[in-house]
Amino acid sequence: MREPRWLPWARWIVLGFLSLFTLLPLYVMATTSIKPLGDVQGDFHWIPTTISLQPFADIWRTVPLAHYFANSLIVASVAAVASVTIAIFAAYAISRYRFPGRRIFSVTVLSTQMFPGILFLLPLFMIFVNLGNTIGVELYGSRTGLIITYLTFSLPFSIWMLVGYFDSIPTALDEAAQVDGSGPVGALLRVVIPAAMPGIVAVTIYAFMTAWAEVLFASVMTDESTRTLAVGLQGYSTQNDVYWNQLMAASLVVSVPVVAGFLLLQRYLVQGLTAGAVK
Amino acid sequence: MVASTTPRPGARRASGSPEGGPPRSGGGPGRVAALIPVRLRRLGLPYLLILPAIVLELLIHVVPMLVGIWMSFLKLTQFFIRNWSAAPSAGLANYEIAVDFDSAVGGSLLRSFTVTVAFTVLAVGLCWLLGTAAAVLMQGGFRGRGVLRTLFLTPYALPAYAGVITWSFMFQRDSGLVNHILVEQSGLLDERPFWLIGGNSFAALLVTYVWRVWPFAFLVLMAGVQNISGDLYEASAIDGAGWWRQLRSITLPMLRPVNQVVVLVLFLWTFNDFNTPYVLFGRSAPQEADLISIHIYQSSFVTWNFGSGAAMSVLLLLFLLLVTAVYLVATSHRRTRA
């Protein structure tokens, strides 16, 4: 492509601005997390005058962060694995079979993703509370309730992304497996899943990230013992004071698992996230 | 966008078409009797495969949605939360209050709706603009492209609350970076403004939201740009088209189907956004940044009047459905005409 002479300049200015915009909060998060409390209460300083790793030790004591961390880990992992397992079967059906209702199913599932969480929140809260009252199944305030809710949040996107991956696997592969005596499910397990493994891992990470970051339902559906990180981090701000240095340190710590996962599998995730929209 | 309608060879076998050959695993042509159950099983299999997904979607999305519609006709105040079957019918009262813009409830709902519309238009516009600019400028290779892409995607990978909490620290009046730059370093302002209360809170919310969400637009548009065939650019370059001309006549028109999806998804996400204002402002968002989701949340859980909150949610849903339908009809029409 022929580029005008000003284009490299425009590129550096725009991309430079966007890089600064992106980096600024990341820089603030990282530097604030190594400042002593006194240094974050007064004027802001670009460069920390005193470096202290104390906030990273204090975060575990100020609030029961390890407990919230464990809750988030359990809820997000179980929700992610369950969601992807269910999505694999549904995506296989959509990718390999033409059946009446297929299109309606795809559109309905995807459209539920788009509707406001607040719409489900009140009724789901009422249903969970009343289920506890009437048949004694305590979903309100339990991890199970949260897991079931979260797995449906990532389900539509997981199905959508996996259909894209499965479509890219030649059907000749499953047919060969079926000639060798596997049923359709055998072909799925023995051929399609191994071939789509990078995609499946990427979708699992996506589902994990969704659950890890969810705030709205976590703020209503959890109690002290099942609280997740999204809500638990509020514990660093008390009536009188906000421990900004600890809050930044904790934000950094809770971001590490998901950002690391995202960056490692970036290529697959990007492929999957965009496959549907570009099609 | 979800499902292409072109049949694939592997799919035909299960479609139950009469001329379709016998399933291979069913054995030779001589075993006709054994064929029927296999074929039936084959027909039922896709439904069996999607069954778990359907059950869960029904339980967590469809049933609550229907329950929500029912709730919106009940006088569901705090006295009936634990035993809602006893809640008396409210008829249309919940809706009448919500759309009576002279009443306190209706008035504040209308204001929240207006704020949300303004916020959505600006946020979607900015996210799309930044995403397109970055995607177009990163077209073609240059050193550091991969690093930049990773950097740009990081805010999107970060849990929403972690990013937003950091912004709320940056917007602190006395210890934040924003006022440090505006007041002390550049001297643009004499007084330290408040960012998280009052009129400025709208700008704070917008900046935080755009920071978090523009990478999504970038991600999808970048893939869209990469999918445009290089031949088009070569052919137009031979015809003497310059960079601008190529941008206007090739890149942007070719991105139109991608844009249709990106703008719709951004619209729905932005209009329903709860996380950003909730983490940025805490439970009580200032009037100027009172997005509709947080407004409904507050008016439900502060007053414990769920019937009224449900009615507002249903109105929100109707509005979103209407906008989505009009948008799809309008953009698809333009696409078929073009």
Side-chain angles (χ1 to χ4, degrees):
Chain A
M1 203 193 325
R2 219 153 28 112
E3 289 190 347
R5 206 172 308 154
W6 53 264
L7 192 70
W9 291 99
R11 176 177 291 148
W12 283 118
I13 290 169
V14 173
L15 297 183
F17 164 77
L18 286 171
S19 308
L20 276 182
F21 181 47
T22 305
L23 271 173
L24 213 55
L26 303 178
Y27 175 82
V28 169
M29 189 194 282
T31 53
T32 307
S33 72
I34 50 170
K35 288 178 183 174
L37 187 61
D39 288 6
V40 297
Q41 285 167 331
D43 274 350
F44 181 82
H45 293 286
W46 284 97
I47 296 163
T49 42
T50 323
I51 289 177
S52 157
L53 290 177
Q54 197 58 37
F56 285 94
D58 291 340
I59 50 174
W60 309 97
R61 286 193 293 267
T62 311
V63 304
L65 189 67
H67 181 65
Y68 300 152
F69 209 95
N71 280 338
S72 278
L73 206 59
I74 294 169
V75 169
S77 319
V78 176
V81 170
S83 158
V84 171
T85 309
I86 294 167
I88 285 174
F89 290 116
Y92 185 66
I94 293 176
S95 170
R96 293 299 195 259
Y97 294 94
R98 294 293 170 277
F99 53 94
R102 172 179 172 276
R103 205 176 155 69
I104 291 178
F105 171 75
S106 328
V107 171
T108 313
V109 163
L110 203 65
S111 58
T112 56
Q113 167 88 5
M114 296 302 165
F115 291 124
I118 194 80
L119 193 73
F120 314 117
L121 177 74
L122 303 181
L124 211 55
F125 174 77
M126 296 292 295
I127 292 173
F128 281 9
V129 166
N130 281 278
L131 272 182
N133 274 4
T134 50
I135 57 170
V137 182
E138 282 295 350
L139 289 175
Y140 170 64
S142 76
R143 291 196 199 97
T144 318
L146 215 53
I147 289 170
I148 298 174
T149 313
Y150 286 173
L151 83 87
T152 62
F153 286 171
S154 48
L155 199 54
F157 246 52
S158 305
I159 295 176
W160 191 22
M161 282 158 71
L162 286 175
V163 169
Y165 285 115
F166 289 174
D167 280 354
S168 67
I169 297 166
T171 49
L173 277 181
D174 342 1
E175 276 158 22
Q178 297 199 19
V179 169
D180 291 346
S182 307
V185 177
L188 169 66
L189 295 179
R190 250 169 271 162
V191 179
V192 179
I193 289 182
M197 213 43 186
I200 291 172
V201 174
V203 173
T204 314
I205 297 222
Y206 173 79
F208 184 88
M209 283 167 63
T210 311
W212 191 261
E214 209 283 332
V215 178
L216 174 61
F217 284 72
S219 76
V220 174
M221 300 286 195
T222 58
D223 56 27
E224 186 50 42
S225 67
T226 53
R227 191 151 296 162
T228 56
L229 289 169
V231 189
L233 287 195
Q234 288 170 358
Y236 294 103
S237 33
T238 61
Q239 210 55 281
N240 307 314
D241 231 334
V242 182
Y243 301 111
W244 284 113
N245 54 346
Q246 292 189 42
L247 198 45
M248 295 294 106
S251 300
L252 208 61
V253 167
V254 306
S255 303
V256 165
V258 283
V259 174
F262 181 84
L263 295 183
L264 278 176
L265 291 155
Q266 196 195 146
R267 201 158 51 88
Y268 300 115
L269 255 177
V270 170
Q271 253 172 24
L273 275 170
T274 51
V278 177
K279 224 189 284 179
Chain B
M1 80 192 193
V2 186
S4 58
T5 42
T6 45
R8 269 176 290 272
R12 222 185 31 201
R13 210 186 319 130
S15 66
S17 60
E19 68 275 15
R24 281 175 214 173
S25 58
R31 294 154 62 186
V32 178
L35 265 178
I36 296 156
V38 171
R39 173 164 271 190
L40 265 182
R41 236 187 304 155
R42 282 288 169 93
L43 278 175
L45 185 67
Y47 295 103
L48 204 62
L49 289 172
I50 61 172
L51 187 68
I54 291 185
V55 169
L56 276 164
E57 287 294 324
L58 278 177
L59 276 182
I60 305 295
H61 286 133
V62 180
V63 169
M65 200 143 80
L66 297 176
V67 169
I69 294 173
W70 182 46
M71 277 165 62
S72 69
F73 295 104
L74 293 180
K75 199 168 158 73
L76 200 54
T77 51
Q78 53 184 324
F79 308 109
F80 303 107
I81 297 277
R82 289 217 157 248
N83 184 17
W84 63 350
S85 51
S89 164
L92 287 172
N94 289 327
Y95 289 94
E96 280 161 5
I97 293 170
V99 296
D100 177 10
F101 300 134
D102 295 328
S103 73
V105 174
S108 62
L109 181 67
L110 181 66
R111 199 190 48 228
S112 162
F113 177 78
T114 320
V115 167
T116 312
V117 170
F119 173 74
T120 306
V121 170
L122 286 170
V124 172
L126 280 171
C127 287
W128 178 83
L129 192 70
L130 294 182
T132 308
V136 168
L137 289 172
M138 285 171 74
Q139 195 176 11
F142 58 89
R143 267 170 63 101
R145 188 169 172 274
V147 177
L148 266 189
R149 190 183 78 163
T150 303
L151 172 68
F152 289 164
L153 293 182
T154 307
Y156 186 62
L158 220 56
Y161 48 84
V164 178
I165 286 171
T166 310
W167 277 102
S168 85
F169 176 54
M170 291 164 69
F171 281 124
Q172 291 298 307
R173 179 170 180 263
D174 295 320
S175 56
L177 168 133
V178 175
N179 278 350
H180 181 67
I181 295 178
L182 288 179
V183 181
E184 277 142 49
Q185 291 195 304
S186 68
L188 282 173
L189 300 172
D190 298 328
E191 277 281 309
R192 289 164 181 268
F194 284 100
W195 288 100
L196 299 178
I197 48 176
N200 289 336
S201 55
F202 184 83
L205 181 66
L206 189 65
V207 170
T208 308
Y209 184 82
V210 170
W211 179 82
R212 199 163 76 69
V213 174
W214 83 270
F216 171 76
F218 164 68
L219 176 66
V220 181
L221 286 163
M222 189 178 53
V225 166
Q226 277 167 0
N227 269 26
I228 303 173
S229 154
D231 298 348
L232 286 174
Y233 292 106
E234 280 166 30
S236 71
I238 291 168
D239 291 343
W243 187 84
W244 269 119
R245 179 74 211 211
Q246 290 183 331
L247 179 68
R248 275 186 298 124
S249 307
I250 301 174
T251 314
L252 292 180
M254 291 297 282
L255 282 179
R256 194 170 283 164
V258 181
N259 278 332
Q260 188 195 17
V261 177
V262 169
V263 170
L264 180 62
V265 170
L266 281 179
F267 163 74
L268 290 168
W269 280 357
T270 311
F271 211 93
N272 298 327
D273 187 42
F274 174 85
N275 293 352
T276 318
Y278 182 77
V279 179
L280 200 57
F281 305 116
R283 274 179 178 249
S284 54
Q287 281 187 10
E288 292 83 357
D290 187 22
L291 297 189
I292 197 101
S293 279
I294 207 128
H295 183 81
I296 297 176
Y297 178 89
Q298 275 165 4
S299 51
S300 308
F301 284 99
V302 172
T303 63
W304 290 94
N305 189 342
F306 276 29
S308 163
M312 293 182 199
S313 306
V314 171
L315 290 174
L316 171 63
L317 176 68
L318 289 178
F319 173 76
L320 293 175
L321 281 177
L322 184 74
V323 174
T324 306
V326 168
Y327 175 83
L328 285 177
V329 168
T331 52
S332 306
H333 182 61
R334 213 177 53 201
R335 264 169 86 185
T336 46
R337 237 185 4 187

